[in-house]
C-alpha cells in the first residue's frame, strides 16, 4: 500500500520559517512502524530529512514527535494504528526550539530534570556487606515512575508548559516522585520544597495531556496528584 | 577548537557512566556521546545482572566463574573471569546503594531468578556432579538495563560530570604508543573539536548493526572498535558474535532470556519442546549459542513455522505462566509482542528467531582496562576501554546472559580506578589544531563526493550478506564469498555521496561515517572467522564442526593493513583452574 505524509520541515541554513512538505511512500505495509516510513524517505527519497532515532522499540526515547496532533514515539506506532486514508501529519515536539526538521533542542528539558535532584540522597551509611532492604511492595511503588524514558512527550504536550517556560513539567516532577516515594531516600522534604512553588507542582492543572502522550503508559497525572496531596498535607 | 580534559570518556552507556562516576573530583572529566546518555543501548537490556548473592538459594562466585568459563567455551581468560565474578557481589550491592530500583524477595533483599547457563552442582560437595539451573540474575522486572542506565546517569549528574551529548568521535590520537586525545564532531554544527586528554576511555558499545536481524539500536555501529582498528591497534576475537535465540520475528527486538528463566519454553511447528533433545539437563536454559543453533537446525530441518514474508520462525511460549506473573515480571517484552506482532502472549506463543545481539570480541584490554597494542600484551599509555566495545576477555566465545551488564559496572569501575591512578603522574601530550585534519579530510570527501553510491544500499547489502554468510552457521565457501563482497563494498563506499550538504545536524553525513565503521568491524569479523578452522561457542563452522583445543586455545588479534587483508596474530588463552572439558548441558 501507499501512505501519504505531511512533514514539518525546517533547515535553519535555508529557511526563514518551518513549512509542511508532502511525501508519498509506496510499497509499505500496515505492520510498519512510522519510524520505518521515515527511514524509507530518508534513505531512498530525501537524505536531508532529519530526526533522531536509535533503539526503534520504545526504550531509548529518541524519536518523540507530534504525529497527527499527538506526541508519540515514531518507533512505537504502527501504520495500522493510524488512519492511512489521509496524510499523516508529522511535526517536532511542540514548545521546544527546532534545530532542524523534527529535531528539537532538548537542553531546557534536561535542565529542569536536574532541578529536582534526580539521584538517590541518603546520608546514612548503608549496611557494610549488603543491600538496603526494601519490601517488594515498596519497590513496585517506584516501578511505574522509574519506567520513564525521558522522551519529553509528556512535558511538551502540556498546555502549562506552552504558556510558561519556567514550569518544571511532568517528566521532571515524575522523577521527583520516583525519589520522594523511595523508602531509601532521605531528601523528600528538600525535593518537595523544590516542587512546592508556582512553577512547580501547582502549575499542573490536571489536564491529563501527559497521560495521553506517554508512550510507556505511565499514569503521570495520578503520580503528580499523589505529590500534591503529600506536599499539601506535610507539616511545616 | 581544542578542549582539554584530564579524562575523556567516549560513550555514555553503562561502562562509560560507571567509569565517569569513579573519576575523583580533582580531575576534569568529559563524557562524549553520539546520543544523549539515557538513549544509550544499555537501556534495552532486560532480564538481569548476575552475582552470586545467594538471596534465593545457596550460591558462590566460584559457581558463577565456572559457568562463565564453560559458557565461554573455554576461550575466556580465567584470571579476568575470576576478577569479574568475585567482584560481582560488591558491584551489585553498590548499584543498589546508588539507588538502582530492584525487584525484591520476601526478606526485602534483591530478588534473583534463573538465566541461561547459570548453574550450580546438584551435590554441593561435588563440583563435578550434575549442574542444575540456579537463581543468580538480579533484576528489576524486565527493565534491568533501563534502570541501571538511569541510575548511573543520575549518579553522573550528582558527580557533576561534563557531558558533550551528540558529539561523534571521528579520530583517536596516538603517537609513539601514547594516547593524546580524540577528535569529535558536534553533530548540531558539524564543527570538529580536538579533545586533548591525558587519558581516554572507550565505552562505545557494540556493532550488531552489521547484521540484518539485530537487537541492537541503530547506534550500534562499532564506532570505537573502528577508530582503534584504524589507529593501527588490534581488534580481538571479532569472529565471536552472539546471536540471541529469541528476537521478535522479522524485527529482531530482544525477548529476554528471563522469559525462559521464568518458565517459558521453545516449541517447533509440531508443538514439541525441542530443547529437550539438544540440552537434556537444562533444556530451554542452555547457553545462547546452543539455543540459537538448535533453533536454526529446527528451521532447516523443516520444523519451523513459515511466516507471511516467507521467512521462518519458532515459538516462545509463556502463556502457561499466567497473566499475573507475566504482568509483574515480563511486562515490557510481552508489550513488544503485542505492539509489533499483534500477539497476545498470555494466550498465544510468540514468534521468535535468533537475532544478532552481542560482540564478545572488541578492543583488547587487560583486567585494568588498559588497551593492548599487540598480542604480547604491551599496552598503549593512557588508553582504556570497557564494556561491549572491549575484550578482556571475560566472555570468550560465548557470553552468558546477564554477564554483559555485570561487565559494564565491574570493568567501568576498574577503568575509572586505573585512570585515577594513572593521572597521578601523567602529563598532557602536545596537540594542535592540525590534529583534526584527518577527520576534516574524511568529512570533506563525503560532503563533496558526487560518486552516486547510496549509503542505504551499501549498508543493506552488508547486513544481508553478513547475516547469510557470517551468521549462526558459517563455512569456508560462504566466508570466502563474504570477503569478496566486503572488498566490493569497501571500494564502492569510496563513492558514497549524500544529498544533505548542510552543517546543521547532518545525520546523513553521520550515516556515511558510520558505514565506514561498520565495514571495518565486518572486516575484522569475517577474516577472523575465515581463519578459525574450528567451532567454538558462537563461531560455528559447518566444515569444522569440532572444537580444536590443540590448535585454537588462542585469541585472534586482527591488525588492519593497507591491503584489503588484515594481519592476524594470536595470543594464548589464560587457563588457571578450569581445564577444557566437553561442553554439555
Amino acid at each position: 500500500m501507499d501512505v501519504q505524509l505531511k512533514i514539518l520541515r525546517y533547515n535553519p541554513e535555508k529557511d526563514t520559517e518551518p513549512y509542511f512538505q508532502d511525501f508519498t511512500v509506496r510499497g509499505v505495509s500496515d505492520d510498519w512502524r512510522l519510524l520505518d516510513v521515515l527511514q524509507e524517505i530518508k534513505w531512498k527519497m530525501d537524505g536531508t530529512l532529519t530526526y533522531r532515532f536509535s533503539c526503534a522499540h520504545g526504550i531509548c526515547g529518541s524519536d518523540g514527535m507530534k504525529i497527527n496532533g499527538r506526541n508519540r514515539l515514531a518507533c512505537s506506532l504502527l501504520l495500522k494504528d493510524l488512519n492511512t486514508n489521509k496524510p499523516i501529519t508529522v511535526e517536532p515536539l511542540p514548545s521546544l526550539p527546532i534545530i532542524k526538521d523534527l529535531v528539537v533542542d532538548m537542553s531546557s528539558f534536561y535542565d529542569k530534570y536536574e532541578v529536582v535532584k534526580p539521584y538517590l540522597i541518603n546520608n546514612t551509611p548503608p549496611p557494610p556487606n549488603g543491600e538496603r532492604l526494601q519490601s517488594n511492595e515498596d519497590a513496585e511503588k517506584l516501578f511505574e515512575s522509574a519506567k520513564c524514558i525521558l522522551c519529553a512527550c509528556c512535558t511538551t504536550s502540556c498546555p502549562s508548559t506552552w504558556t510558561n517556560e519556567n514550569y518544571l513539567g511532568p517528566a521532571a516532577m515524575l522523577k521527583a516522585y520516583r525519589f520522594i516515594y523511595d523508602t531509601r531516600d532521605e531528601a523528600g522534604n528538600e525535593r518537595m520544597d523544590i516542587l512546592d512553588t508556582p512553577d512547580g507542582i501547582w502549575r499542573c492543572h490536571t489536564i491529563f495531556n501527559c497521560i495521553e502522550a506517554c508512550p510507556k503508559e505511565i499514569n503521570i497525572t495520578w503520580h503528580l496528584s499523589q505529590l500534591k496531596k503529600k506536599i499539601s498535607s506535610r507539616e511545616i | 577548537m581544542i578542549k582539554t580534559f584530564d579524562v575523556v570518556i567516549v560513550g555514555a552507556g553503562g561502562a562509560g557512566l560507571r567509569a565517569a562516576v569513579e573519576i575523583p573530583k580533582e580531575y576534569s572529566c568529559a563524557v562524549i556521546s553520539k546520543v544523549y546518555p539515557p538513549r544509550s543501548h544499555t537501556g534495552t537490556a532486560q532480564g538481569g545482572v548476575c552475582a552470586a548473592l545467594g538471596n534465593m538459594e545457596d550460591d558462590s562466585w566460584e559457581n558463577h566463574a565456572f559457568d562463565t568459563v564453560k559458557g565461554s567455551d573455554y576461550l575466556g581468560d580465567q584470571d579476568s573471569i575470576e576478577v569479574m565474578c568475585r567482584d560481582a557481589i560488591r558491584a551489585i550491592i553498590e548499584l543498589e546503594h546508588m539507588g538502582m530500583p530492584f525487584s525484591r524477595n520476601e526478606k526485602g533483599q534483591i530478588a534473583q531468578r534463573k538465566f541461561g547457563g547459570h548453574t550450580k552442582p546438584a551435590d554441593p560437595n561435588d563440583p563435578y556432579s550434575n549442574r542444575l539451573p540456579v537463581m543468580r540474575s538480579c533484576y528489576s522486572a524486565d527493565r534491568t538495563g533501563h534502570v541501571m542506565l538511569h541510575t548511573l546517569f543520575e549518579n553522573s549528574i550528582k558527580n557533576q560530570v561534563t557531558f558533550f551529548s551528540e558529539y561523534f568521535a571521528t579520530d583517536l590520537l596516538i603517537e609513539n604508543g601514547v594516547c593524546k586525545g580524540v577528535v569529535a564532531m558536534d553533530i548540531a554544527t558539524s564543527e570538529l573539536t580536538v579533545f586533548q586528554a591525558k587519558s581516554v576511555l572507550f565505552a562505545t558499545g557494540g556493532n550488531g548493526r552489521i547484521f540484518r536481524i539485530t537487537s541492537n539500536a541503530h547506534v550500534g555501529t562499532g564506532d570505537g572498535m573502528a577508530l582503534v582498528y584504524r589507529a593501527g591497534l588490534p581488534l580481538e576475537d571479532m569472529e565471536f558474535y552472539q546471536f540471541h535465540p529469541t528476537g521478535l520475528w522479522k524485527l529482531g527486538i530482544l525477548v529476554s532470556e528471563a522469559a525462559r528463566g521464568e518458565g517459558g519454553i521453545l516449541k517447533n511447528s509440531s508443538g514439541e519442546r525441542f530443547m529437550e533433545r539438544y540440552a537434556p539437563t537444562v533444556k530451554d536454559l542452555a547457553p545462547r549459542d546452543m539455543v540459537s543453533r538448535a533453533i536454526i537446525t529446527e528451521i532447516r530441518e523443516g520444523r519451523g513455522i513459515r511466516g507471511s514474508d516467507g521467512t521462518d520462525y519458532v515459538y516462545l511460549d509463556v502463556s502457561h505462566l499466567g497473566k499475573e506473573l507475566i504482568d509483574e515480571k515480563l511486562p515490557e517484552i510481552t508489550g513488544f509482542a503485542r505492539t509489533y506482532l499483534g500477539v497476545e502472549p498470555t494466550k498465544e506463543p510468540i514468534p521468535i528467531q535468533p537475532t544478532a545481539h552481542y560482540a564478545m570480541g572488541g578492543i583488547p584490554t587487560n583486567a585494568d582496562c588498559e588497551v593492548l597494542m599487540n598480542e604480547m600484551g604491551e599496552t598503549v599509555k593512557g588508553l582504556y576501554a570497557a564494556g561491549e566495545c572491549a575484550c578482556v576477555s571475560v566472555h570468550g566465545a560465548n557470553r552468558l546472559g546477564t554477564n554483559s551488564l555485570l561487565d559494564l559496572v565491574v570493568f567501568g569501575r576498574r577503568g575509572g580506578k586505573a585512570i585515577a591512578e594513572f593521572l597521578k603522574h601523567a602529563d598532557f601530550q602536545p596537540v594542535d589544531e592540525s590534529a583534526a585534519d584527518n577527520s576534516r579530510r574524511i568529512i570533506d570527501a563525503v560532503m563533496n563526493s558526487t560518486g552516486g553510491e547510496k549509503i542505504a544500499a551499501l549498508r543493506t547489502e552488508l547486513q544481508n550478506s553478513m547475516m547469510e554468510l557470517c551468521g549462526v552457521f558459517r563455512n569456508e565457501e560462504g566466508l570466502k564469498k563474504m570477503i569478496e563482497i566486503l572488498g566490493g563494498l569497501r571500494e564502492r563506499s569510496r563513492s558514497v555521496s549524500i544529498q544533505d550538504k548542510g552543517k546543521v545536524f547532518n545525520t546523513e553525513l553521520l550515516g556515511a561515517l558510520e558505514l565506514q565503521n561498520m565495514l571495518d568491524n565486518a572486516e575484522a569479523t569475517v577474516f577472523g572467522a575465515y581463519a578459525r578452522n574450528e567451532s567454538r561457542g558462537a563461531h560455528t563452522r559447518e566444515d569444522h564442526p569440532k572444537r580444536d583445543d590443540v590448535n585454537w586455545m588462542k585469541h585472534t588479534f586482527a591488525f588492519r593493513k593497507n591491503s584489503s587483508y588484515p594481519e592476524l596474530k594470536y595470543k594464548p588463552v589464560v587457563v588457571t583452574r578450569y581445564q577444557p572439558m566437553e561442553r554439555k548441558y
Side-chain angles (χ1 to χ4, degrees):
Chain A
M1 66 185 218
D2 297 348
V3 65
Q4 292 178 308
L5 297 97
K6 282 173 88 70
I7 301 179
L8 197 78
R9 303 297 307 268
Y10 175 66
N11 178 350
E13 293 174 282
K14 283 186 185 159
D15 308 320
T16 49
E17 292 274 322
Y19 64 95
F20 279 102
Q21 186 179 358
D22 296 330
F23 290 94
T24 301
V25 185
R26 305 195 188 284
V28 306
S29 72
D30 68 356
D31 62 352
W32 281 33
R33 294 164 279 205
L34 187 73
L35 178 64
D36 299 325
V37 181
L38 296 178
Q39 304 278 48
E40 188 77 1
I41 295 173
K42 179 165 186 73
W43 299 112
K44 294 196 181 148
M45 297 161 69
D46 183 351
T48 67
L49 181 67
T50 304
Y51 47 92
R52 292 186 175 104
F53 61 98
S54 186
C55 80
H57 64 287
I59 299 288
C60 79
S62 298
D63 60 351
M65 51 188 78
K66 191 168 152 191
I67 302 160
N68 282 350
R70 192 176 146 191
N71 290 356
R72 317 281 292 260
L73 298 180
C75 65
S76 298
L77 184 61
L78 303 193
L79 288 181
K80 68 179 174 200
D81 299 317
L82 284 162
N83 177 1
T84 47
N85 294 320
K86 54 179 194 176
I88 300 163
T89 309
V90 184
E91 300 164 80
L93 290 176
S95 80
L96 294 175
I98 302 175
I99 294 176
K100 185 178 174 184
D101 292 347
L102 304 170
V103 175
V104 291
D105 182 349
M106 299 282 286
S107 25
S108 69
F109 177 79
Y110 281 105
D111 289 346
K112 289 172 182 174
Y113 164 82
E114 291 196 23
V115 168
V116 302
K117 303 187 183 235
Y119 38 81
L120 190 84
I121 300 176
N122 186 329
N123 296 317
T124 312
N129 294 315
E131 59 270 62
R132 292 191 170 99
L133 299 182
Q134 184 174 49
S135 71
N136 198 44
E137 202 184 8
D138 283 339
E140 288 197 344
K141 279 184 194 155
L142 312 177
F143 281 6
E144 189 169 344
S145 58
K147 278 202 300 195
C148 172
I149 56 174
L150 299 177
C151 64
C153 283
C154 61
T155 294
T156 60
S157 77
C158 177
S160 299
T161 304
W162 305 338
T163 53
N164 187 321
E165 61 178 8
N166 296 320
Y167 176 41
L168 279 176
M173 297 197 295
L174 184 72
K175 185 57 77 172
Y177 176 102
R178 180 249 170 277
F179 289 103
I180 289 170
Y181 280 84
D182 192 327
T183 54
R184 302 169 295 174
D185 189 83
E186 294 177 344
N189 267 321
E190 208 177 310
R191 288 197 185 84
M192 284 193 275
D193 289 343
I194 295 166
L195 300 189
D196 192 5
T197 56
D199 289 328
I201 196 81
W202 307 115
R203 198 159 296 282
C204 165
H205 299 318
T206 328
I207 299 165
F208 295 100
N209 273 19
C210 51
I211 299 185
E212 202 175 312
C214 180
K216 304 312 289 181
E217 296 176 346
I218 303 170
N219 188 338
I220 304 169
T221 310
W222 180 87
H223 286 80
L224 301 193
S225 302
Q226 296 301 109
L227 286 171
K228 284 178 188 171
K229 269 196 253 174
K230 194 174 179 80
I231 290 170
S232 57
S233 65
R234 70 182 169 147
E235 287 177 21
I236 298 165
Chain B
M1 195 190 325
I2 299 180
K3 289 189 161 77
T4 301
F5 290 91
D6 292 315
V7 192
V8 169
I9 292 169
V10 185
L17 295 176
R18 183 62 193 82
V21 168
E22 198 62 32
I23 303 298
K25 282 246 169 78
E26 64 258 38
Y27 299 117
S28 59
C29 172
V31 177
I32 297 172
S33 172
K34 75 171 168 176
V35 289
Y36 276 96
R39 314 289 180 233
S40 305
H41 189 56
T42 300
T44 62
Q46 298 166 352
V49 50
C50 264
L53 298 182
N55 284 354
M56 317 296 282
E57 56 182 308
D58 280 342
D59 198 7
S60 69
W61 73 262
E62 289 92 342
N63 285 341
H64 187 183
F66 175 86
D67 287 339
T68 302
V69 171
K70 183 177 169 188
S72 82
D73 218 347
Y74 297 91
L75 190 75
D77 286 324
Q78 297 182 13
D79 49 352
S80 301
I81 289 173
E82 258 188 53
V83 165
M84 180 175 79
C85 296
R86 264 178 197 271
D87 196 37
I89 296 163
R90 186 208 53 76
I92 302 311
I93 298 295
E94 177 185 73
L95 281 170
E96 197 281 334
H97 292 168
M98 283 181 175
M100 180 159 154
F102 282 99
S103 298
R104 302 282 172 154
N105 68 10
E106 283 173 0
K107 293 183 208 148
Q109 299 166 313
I110 295 168
Q112 300 185 273
R113 64 179 161 208
K114 293 173 185 171
F115 236 78
H118 289 282
T119 64
K120 66 174 183 180
D123 175 357
N125 299 318
D126 175 11
Y128 296 101
S129 60
N130 242 355
R131 295 183 77 95
L132 302 171
V134 65
M135 287 187 270
R136 185 180 293 148
S137 168
C138 312
Y139 63 95
S140 180
D142 55 356
R143 300 185 196 95
T144 314
H146 167 76
V147 295
M148 177 188 280
L149 178 66
H150 279 251
T151 301
L152 291 170
F153 180 49
E154 291 155 9
N155 279 272
S156 322
I157 289 170
K158 191 177 181 179
N159 284 23
Q160 297 168 327
V161 171
T162 305
F163 285 105
F164 291 87
S165 292
E166 300 186 328
Y167 273 64
F168 181 72
T170 53
D171 209 355
L172 168 61
L173 305 173
I174 293 179
E175 202 173 299
N176 302 325
V178 182
C179 179
K180 301 161 43 163
V182 292
V183 181
M185 180 179 78
D186 180 357
I187 296 170
T189 61
S190 294
E191 292 300 318
L192 289 169
T193 299
V194 178
F195 285 88
Q196 182 189 28
K198 291 178 187 167
S199 56
V200 171
L201 181 130
F202 271 33
T204 51
N207 58 10
R209 281 280 152 186
I210 63 175
F211 298 96
R212 179 172 64 88
I213 299 286
T214 178
S215 64
N216 281 201
H218 287 275
V219 289
T221 49
D223 305 325
M225 301 185 217
L227 290 191
V228 162
Y229 192 48
R230 288 207 289 269
L233 298 171
L235 291 178
E236 180 176 356
D237 288 344
M238 293 292 280
E239 64 269 35
F240 294 100
Y241 196 88
Q242 177 169 84
F243 283 75
H244 193 293
T246 58
L248 274 194
W249 171 60
K250 286 197 294 191
L251 296 157
I253 295 170
L254 178 65
V255 181
S256 171
E257 211 164 293
R260 284 171 284 136
E262 296 290 355
I265 52 182
L266 293 163
K267 291 177 175 173
N268 60 21
S269 58
S270 60
E272 182 204 6
R273 185 182 189 180
F274 58 85
M275 280 313 297
E276 286 179 332
R277 279 188 274 117
Y278 297 88
T281 314
V282 297
K283 303 184 178 81
D284 300 273
L285 286 173
R288 291 174 178 173
D289 57 332
M290 297 180 79
V291 183
S292 285
R293 277 193 296 273
I295 292 171
I296 301 286
T297 304
E298 289 298 297
I299 288 173
R300 282 182 171 184
E301 293 177 0
R303 293 186 293 276
I305 300 101
R306 180 62 48 94
S308 52
D309 66 346
T311 64
D312 299 299
Y313 56 84
V314 297
Y315 286 125
L316 170 64
D317 194 354
V318 296
S319 60
H320 57 284
L321 301 179
K323 190 173 181 317
E324 197 181 331
L325 183 140
I326 289 173
D327 288 348
E328 186 195 329
K329 295 191 170 164
L330 307 168
E332 203 74 32
I333 53 177
T334 45
F336 297 148
R338 281 179 206 120
T339 303
Y340 297 110
L341 295 182
V343 166
E344 178 45 60
T346 56
K347 298 196 179 114
E348 50 190 335
I350 308 167
I352 56 96
Q353 70 180 112
T355 183
H357 187 57
Y358 187 87
M360 270 74 72
I363 304 163
T365 71
N366 58 26
D368 289 319
C369 307
E370 297 171 305
V371 171
L372 307 187
M373 66 166 82
N374 55 38
E375 73 286 2
M376 272 94 76
E378 290 175 90
T379 58
V380 184
K381 214 172 147 193
L383 183 61
Y384 300 79
E388 186 174 347
C389 75
C391 180
V392 186
S393 145
V394 284
H395 308 304
N398 172 65
R399 175 174 69 74
L400 289 189
T402 72
N403 272 351
S404 60
L405 290 183
L406 180 61
D407 176 351
L408 305 183
V409 288
V410 166
F411 290 101
R413 172 177 170 271
R414 291 179 71 87
K417 277 201 178 307
I419 287 172
E421 196 54 40
F422 173 76
L423 288 176
K424 286 180 184 166
H425 38 77
D427 290 317
F428 287 106
Q429 304 297 311
V431 291
D432 58 36
E433 295 276 357
S434 69
D437 288 353
N438 185 39
S439 299
R440 193 164 289 118
R441 210 166 25 245
I442 292 167
I443 290 168
D444 287 349
V446 174
M447 294 296 281
N448 300 328
S449 167
T450 52
E453 287 287 355
K454 293 285 166 230
I455 298 166
L458 268 60
R459 190 173 51 206
T460 304
E461 193 175 332
L462 173 72
Q463 292 167 333
N464 286 343
S465 44
M466 283 297 285
M467 195 79 193
E468 188 196 332
L469 303 171
C470 196
V472 173
F473 287 103
R474 302 159 174 183
N475 59 52
E476 183 178 341
E477 194 188 343
L479 291 167
K480 248 186 192 160
K481 197 168 150 197
M482 188 64 226
I483 287 170
E484 267 170 47
I485 292 170
L486 205 51
L489 290 172
R490 178 79 80 181
E491 190 55 41
R492 287 166 62 197
S493 75
R494 295 190 185 102
S495 310
V496 157
S497 55
I498 59 177
Q499 288 170 279
D500 195 337
K501 303 293 184 191
K503 284 189 168 302
V504 176
F505 224 94
N506 190 335
T507 48
E508 209 187 6
L509 169 62
L510 197 61
L513 300 174
E514 287 174 335
L515 176 66
Q516 293 297 340
N517 291 345
M518 292 161 83
L519 290 169
D520 284 332
N521 278 266
E523 179 181 289
T525 306
V526 173
F527 280 93
Y530 180 72
R532 191 174 278 270
N533 290 327
E534 65 156 353
S535 291
R536 181 184 297 271
H539 171 68
T540 309
R541 285 280 301 257
E542 292 164 303
D543 45 348
H544 298 278
K546 288 257 187 302
R547 194 176 78 194
D548 176 358
D549 291 335
V550 176
N551 295 303
W552 287 104
M553 280 291 282
K554 56 190 183 185
H555 301 288
T556 307
F557 274 52
F559 295 78
R560 187 165 185 207
K561 294 287 151 193
N562 287 329
S563 69
S564 51
Y565 290 76
E567 183 180 3
L568 301 181
K569 294 182 176 175
Y570 293 93
K571 176 172 175 275
V573 174
V574 178
V575 176
T576 55
R577 60 171 89 188
Y578 308 109
Q579 289 305 315
M581 296 189 304
E582 192 190 354
R583 193 158 157 259
K584 273 200 228 161
Y585 285 92

